[in-house]
Amino acid sequence: MANDTEDKKHFPTREEIIEFIDMSPTPVGKREIARAFNIKGAAKIELKKILKDLKIGGDVVKGRRRFDKPDRLPPVEVLEITGIDDDGEVLAKPNVWKNDYEPPQIVVKSIRRGGPSAPGIGDKILAKLRYTGKQTYEASIMRVLGSGPQRVLGLYRPNEREGRVVPTDRKDSGEIAVPLDDHPDLETGALVLTEILPGKHFGLRKGRITEVLGNINEPKSISLVSIHARGIPFEFPPEVELQARESKATPLGKRTDLRDIPLVTIDGADARDFDDAVWAEADPDPANEGGWHIMVAIADVSWYVRPGDALDREAVKRGNSCYFPDRVVPMLPFELSNGWCSLVPHEDRGCMAVEMWLDKHGHKLRHKFCRGMMKSAARLTYDQVQRAMDGQPDDTTGPLVDTIIKPLYGAFHAFLEARKHRGVLELDVPERKIELNDKGQIVAIAPRARFDSHKLIEEFMIAANVCAAEELERIKQPCMYRIHDAPSEEKLEALREFLEGAGYQLNKASVLRPRDFNRILEMAKDTPESELINTVVLRSQSQAMYSPDNIGHFGLALKKYAHFTSPIRRYADLLVHRALIAGLKLGEGGLPPEDGERFEQIGEDISGTERRAAMAERDAVDRYVAAYMSDKVGAEFPGKISGVTHFGLFISLNETGADGLVPISTLPDDYYIHDAASHALVGQNRGKKFQLGDTVVVRIADADAATGSLALRLAEHADITARDLVERPRGRKGQSKRRGGSPGERSHRHGSKPGFRSQPRDGNGPGGSSATKSKGGAKKKTTPKKQRKLVASSRVARSAAKRGDKPQ
């Protein structure tokens, strides 16, 4: 206790830490700061939090594991346009950036009428910069200087004189002209990579096709677009494939023989790689009456993928496997991911296993790791196991019900009791599954089934992951923790504001726990706004990541947590396996001492590849959904407002979960203000209000599979809500029930936009809309081409499903 008191007494202030970094002639690392101020033990976690706050506040910047004082940009600078943020703002970065830390955020102000032409993604601009605080700048364009991206993925369509390539990136709406004679046999819809030719050209950008990937009309091409657009490595180098092909069965050697234990795998029906197996029995120890003895066995990938070899270099580059509706882009080659490292039934497989002993309330008493040889007794599916427990066993599960399946559920129910006592964040956000036929075409988009068998495996895996983190701390080995921070104060304040508007009260305690959110979720259960409340709470959570510095896992209410259970598809798990092998002296393939020094950088890298995979997977789903809806243009569907921005409304369709944009220019004639606080567009003349969570009926105006964009319009009977459409005859008017807003829908950076007129009188209102009224008062039509451009230029990231962290 004396040491803890001494540490707190001499703990540096924020100002002292900033001064130390400023005075250092070179960037400094966290260890140097800790050493300078004699910070030890648990106080290092507090130091990390302060450094994170200083970075967010713009007081310091972070490079590759080192902190430095921020450089201020000059008042005039050459910038490169990089993309569009969640609010539809154009973002840029300095054209030349030699520092090893991330450049500051630069928001490009809207282009005024009569000013420079609008830049595209990759364009260079000369701009005036104004510092707005927290390492953020506002840029005013003086001149557009250069050309866009060098390589563009797009769809080919020929005409009489030249070919055209339409980019698949929603943010890049400019077509590219290519010669016809380079690829005379190419058909409309070909998916091509195009290199932009240098120099200034009159009219369209000029380019040449460098690679033909397929045709967008072929179902298999839909995922290819997302894979290429996000830069997902999908072809293994020859040396990697060779090493995988030459792999052989794992020898028993000094491994613990677990082949007599009837471990089983439980996965989805379409799974092909089985990396975890489970087993349970009632604890025979009379001193632990009602307790359980369980085992979780995980494929021993570390035996085949050794530090620094070809497989390892490719695995860390990929970081994780990527899952698409029609395929998997694996982290490891097929020979390992579906072969030697897959726990296929009735075959010997090397494994890393952990035994656990639980009391009757699900609290762990002790655990033990070993490196073993197992033989899976059966390959089971979630619905198979659930049916067996519900009294409908089949030929496979029938003989296993009493000896294997019921004990697994017994331990699972004990885990549930411990989970409830721990106070885990209990979100209920439905997921949807895309169902394909043999030709790869969508036949349905349906809610993903969620059984107790799914939860059973999750609880077993969570317990094994906790054991791994605890064991690595015990044996003093580096650990790649899976960390999940508490929500930020900014997000909590926005959440409280929303909940109060919806009639709920979130505690204003200085430290919130998951059970505080659960109280709100329980109050909203079985109410019309239940799904909305769950989504809003999910969006308020921080994003989970990998780090060697432990801050715990907020969502799971765990102090120590690591990923151990999926080394086939996650590099983080492989590192944890290696550290256990080295620390417990379990043979070859352990973690070299020098690799532990690289954990911080590796953690940042694989957290990045995880986000990249999530975006690619989401993009692919958007494109599949758009393809599915393409033959439904003109049809009307009920939905909910899932996002409110200054340029329109995002609608989530009830039946499919598909998201699309209703541009502000198409809303009922009025002058609309974006009320960021209540997440609504409010008409200033007629008082019409569109708020997050409102039910509406929309018409499909356009569906573009190449970009994954859905263009929507409010139905002609715009005042009729989705509930009215179901419960009342068509044509009867009714008021839509309003909901509150979502903190996941960020407020505009500089407050609410000044105002947007749906149909501006002069055709060039504050919103910049091209939609006008003719002299007779009739609205001009917006062509599908213009609509696609509008959607492309104003996409909002819909990544709520990946906010926070799933148990695995």
Side-chain angles (χ1 to χ4, degrees):
M1 292 296 292
N3 289 338
D4 288 345
T5 304
E6 195 70 18
D7 285 345
K8 290 179 180 178
K9 181 179 178 181
H10 291 96
F11 198 87
T13 64
R14 295 164 60 96
E15 291 71 22
E16 288 173 333
I17 294 174
I18 293 172
E19 183 181 7
F20 177 77
I21 295 172
D22 282 348
M23 296 298 292
S24 174
T26 59
V28 296
K30 186 179 66 176
R31 291 182 181 178
E32 294 170 80
I33 299 171
R35 194 179 304 120
F37 292 101
N38 195 29
I39 300 173
K40 300 177 181 179
K44 289 184 178 180
I45 297 177
E46 181 63 25
L47 173 62
K48 182 173 182 178
K49 289 182 178 179
I50 291 177
L51 290 172
K52 181 179 178 181
D53 289 342
L54 293 177
K55 179 187 171 186
I56 293 173
D59 297 302
V60 301
V61 291
K62 185 182 181 184
R64 297 178 68 86
R65 297 181 287 177
R66 305 183 78 79
F67 295 88
D68 200 356
K69 56 187 176 183
D71 288 336
R72 292 284 183 261
L73 296 177
V76 176
E77 179 71 300
V78 176
L79 309 175
E80 178 185 344
I81 303 298
T82 58
I84 300 174
D85 75 355
D86 290 0
D87 288 329
E89 301 284 11
V90 177
L91 301 180
K93 68 177 183 180
N95 184 46
V96 177
W97 186 255
K98 297 181 179 179
N99 298 310
D100 67 349
Y101 53 85
E102 288 294 313
Q105 180 169 276
I106 303 173
V107 180
V108 181
K109 291 175 64 177
S110 301
I111 310 245
R112 69 183 185 277
R113 189 181 179 192
S117 58
I121 307 301
D123 278 354
K124 307 295 190 298
I125 61 172
L126 182 67
K128 291 181 180 178
L129 294 174
R130 183 174 70 87
Y131 186 68
T132 57
K134 294 187 176 182
Q135 280 297 93
T136 302
Y137 290 80
E138 186 177 80
S140 301
I141 298 177
M142 300 170 64
R143 187 180 306 158
V144 178
L145 301 176
S147 59
Q150 291 302 303
R151 282 167 63 86
V152 175
L153 180 67
L155 300 182
Y156 177 79
R157 60 178 178 85
N159 60 28
E160 294 181 358
R161 295 175 300 170
E162 62 186 4
R164 299 286 180 87
V165 175
V166 181
T168 58
D169 189 340
R170 310 180 207 208
K171 302 170 186 174
D172 185 1
S173 57
E175 295 183 356
I176 304 159
V178 295
L180 279 176
D181 50 4
D182 282 358
H183 295 272
D185 298 328
L186 270 187
E187 298 179 353
T188 298
L191 185 63
V192 298
L193 279 172
T194 305
E195 183 178 284
I196 305 298
L197 298 178
K200 294 185 177 181
H201 305 282
F202 178 77
L204 299 178
R205 293 176 289 174
K206 306 296 182 183
R208 65 182 184 87
I209 294 173
T210 58
E211 189 175 352
V212 180
L213 304 174
N215 193 293
I216 194 61
N217 297 318
E218 301 169 358
K220 67 177 183 179
S221 295
I222 295 179
S223 292
L224 274 178
V225 175
S226 299
I227 291 168
H228 279 274
R230 294 294 180 181
I232 305 292
F234 68 99
E235 292 181 339
F236 288 103
E239 63 272 19
V240 175
E241 292 186 333
L242 176 62
Q243 185 180 343
R245 284 196 302 270
E246 292 179 345
S247 299
K248 298 178 181 178
T250 308
L252 177 61
K254 296 181 180 180
R255 293 173 179 270
T256 303
D257 194 338
L258 306 173
R259 287 174 290 186
D260 290 336
I261 297 177
L263 289 147
V264 296
T265 62
I266 305 176
D267 296 275
D270 55 353
R272 297 294 178 268
D273 54 342
F274 317 123
D275 52 7
D276 56 78
V278 292
W279 167 83
E281 68 171 358
D283 191 351
D285 186 352
N288 187 28
E289 185 177 355
W292 297 94
H293 174 210
I294 72 171
M295 180 179 290
V296 175
I298 307 298
D300 188 1
V301 176
S302 59
W303 178 261
Y304 295 96
V305 184
R306 301 296 176 91
D309 67 12
L311 282 167
D312 184 56
R313 293 194 301 272
E314 185 66 16
V316 73
K317 174 183 171 184
R318 296 179 178 226
N320 43 259
S321 297
C322 302
Y323 293 84
F324 300 96
D326 64 332
R327 74 189 72 198
V328 177
V329 178
M331 186 179 76
L332 300 174
F334 178 86
E335 290 83 359
L336 295 182
S337 60
N338 290 53
W340 294 118
C341 294
S342 185
L343 306 179
V344 295
H346 314 302
E347 292 188 19
D348 290 357
R349 288 291 185 267
C351 66
M352 287 287 294
V354 56
E355 288 182 85
M356 289 170 268
W357 288 264
L358 317 174
D359 66 18
K360 63 181 179 181
H361 302 295
H363 299 116
K364 181 168 65 74
L365 303 176
R366 65 185 187 279
H367 69 255
K368 182 177 72 173
F369 279 88
C370 72
R371 200 176 195 182
M373 181 70 73
M374 62 161 286
K375 182 183 290 186
S376 172
R379 178 271 200 264
L380 305 177
T381 65
Y382 292 117
D383 54 347
Q384 240 185 334
V385 172
Q386 192 62 51
R387 284 198 306 269
M389 274 301 291
D390 292 341
Q392 299 174 354
D394 56 26
D395 293 342
T396 302
T397 55
L400 308 178
V401 170
D402 292 329
T403 58
I404 294 178
I405 295 177
K406 285 186 177 179
L408 287 172
Y409 273 80
F412 163 60
H413 288 299
F415 273 134
L416 284 186
E417 186 177 344
R419 177 187 179 96
K420 184 176 181 180
H421 181 265
R422 198 167 75 238
V424 177
L425 183 59
E426 301 288 1
L427 288 165
D428 182 19
V429 179
E431 294 185 40
R432 287 177 170 83
K433 178 183 179 181
I434 293 178
E435 298 177 4
L436 306 177
N437 60 19
D438 294 339
K439 297 179 180 179
Q441 299 166 327
I442 297 182
V443 294
I445 302 175
R448 188 179 295 274
R450 176 108 172 126
F451 304 127
D452 276 352
S453 53
H454 290 87
K455 300 175 185 177
L456 181 155
I457 291 300
E458 287 178 2
E459 290 303 317
F460 273 66
M461 297 305 111
I462 290 171
N465 289 336
V466 171
C467 290
E470 292 177 348
E471 187 72 4
L472 289 177
E473 287 193 9
R474 185 186 71 81
I475 59 179
K476 295 180 171 51
Q477 280 288 310
C479 180
M480 185 62 77
Y481 295 97
R482 180 65 166 177
I483 61 173
H484 185 217
D485 206 352
S488 66
E489 284 301 321
E490 181 183 10
K491 287 185 176 182
L492 283 176
E493 194 56 40
L495 177 61
R496 286 192 182 98
E497 187 175 1
F498 158 72
L499 290 174
E500 287 175 4
Y504 298 89
Q505 190 76 33
L506 181 65
N507 291 341
K508 292 190 176 182
S510 57
V511 178
L512 285 177
R513 305 292 183 192
R515 56 172 52 94
D516 295 310
F517 296 97
N518 289 341
R519 182 180 58 83
I520 300 293
L521 298 175
E522 185 61 31
M523 291 171 62
K525 190 176 181 180
D526 299 326
T527 65
E529 63 268 15
S530 176
E531 183 177 339
L532 176 63
I533 297 292
N534 273 269
T535 300
V536 169
V537 172
L538 176 63
R539 289 180 180 179
S540 73
Q541 303 303 305
S542 301
Q543 191 165 16
M545 61 185 63
Y546 295 106
S547 172
D549 299 311
N550 184 31
I551 61 170
H553 196 295
F554 177 81
L556 294 175
L558 293 168
K559 294 181 179 179
K560 301 172 185 178
Y561 192 66
H563 272 168
F564 162 77
T565 55
S566 294
I568 288 179
R569 60 185 180 92
R570 293 188 305 225
Y571 193 77
D573 304 56
L574 177 57
L575 293 176
V576 169
H577 279 228
R578 287 174 177 169
L580 287 168
I581 290 166
L584 296 173
K585 297 179 172 51
L586 297 177
E588 300 175 40
L591 185 76
E594 62 273 15
D595 278 12
E597 297 295 319
R598 300 171 49 238
F599 265 32
E600 184 170 355
Q601 184 58 49
I602 293 174
E604 293 178 5
D605 292 343
I606 59 180
S607 295
T609 60
E610 180 184 49
R611 290 190 293 272
R612 178 183 68 182
M615 290 187 290
E617 291 165 3
R618 187 175 62 249
D619 289 349
V621 169
D622 287 346
R623 291 184 168 99
Y624 266 101
V625 170
Y628 179 66
M629 304 296 287
S630 61
D631 63 350
K632 299 172 177 60
V633 172
E636 295 180 1
F637 296 91
K640 284 186 177 181
I641 297 177
S642 58
V644 181
T645 74
H646 60 266
F647 50 78
L649 307 170
F650 278 97
I651 310 297
S652 180
L653 304 186
N654 295 348
E655 183 180 346
T656 61
D659 289 312
L661 173 70
V662 176
I664 194 171
S665 62
T666 68
L667 295 178
D669 191 8
D670 207 334
Y671 188 86
Y672 287 90
I673 293 289
H674 177 217
D675 186 343
S678 63
H679 306 283
L681 290 178
V682 183
Q684 296 302 286
N685 298 327
R686 302 186 181 183
K688 182 67 178 176
K689 186 175 184 180
F690 296 95
Q691 193 167 31
L692 191 77
D694 280 352
T695 54
V696 293
V697 179
V698 293
R699 171 173 49 85
I700 308 296
D702 189 36
D704 188 348
T707 62
S709 299
L710 276 185
L712 306 177
R713 297 286 187 274
L714 291 184
E716 294 301 324
H717 44 283
D719 287 337
I720 298 181
T721 66
R723 188 178 293 113
D724 295 327
L725 187 69
V726 174
E727 298 178 357
R728 300 196 295 210
R730 184 181 287 256
R732 181 178 177 182
K733 293 185 178 180
Q735 282 298 109
S736 62
K737 185 173 182 179
R738 292 183 182 133
R739 301 278 185 268
S742 163
E745 183 62 46
R746 294 191 295 169
S747 302
H748 187 264
R749 197 178 317 281
H750 306 296
S752 297
K753 283 285 186 179
F756 291 82
R757 191 177 302 279
S758 173
Q759 306 293 343
R761 296 187 181 96
D762 61 358
N764 292 284
S769 170
S770 62
T772 63
K773 278 188 177 180
S774 65
K775 290 182 179 180
K779 297 177 184 177
K780 289 185 179 180
K781 293 182 179 179
T782 302
T783 65
K785 181 178 179 181
K786 287 181 179 179
Q787 176 56 42
R788 282 194 294 271
K789 286 187 176 182
L790 179 59
V791 173
S793 65
S794 59
R795 181 192 180 203
V796 167
R798 297 179 294 276
S799 57
K802 271 291 180 185
R803 291 295 200 187
D805 184 27
K806 294 183 179 181
Q808 294 187 54

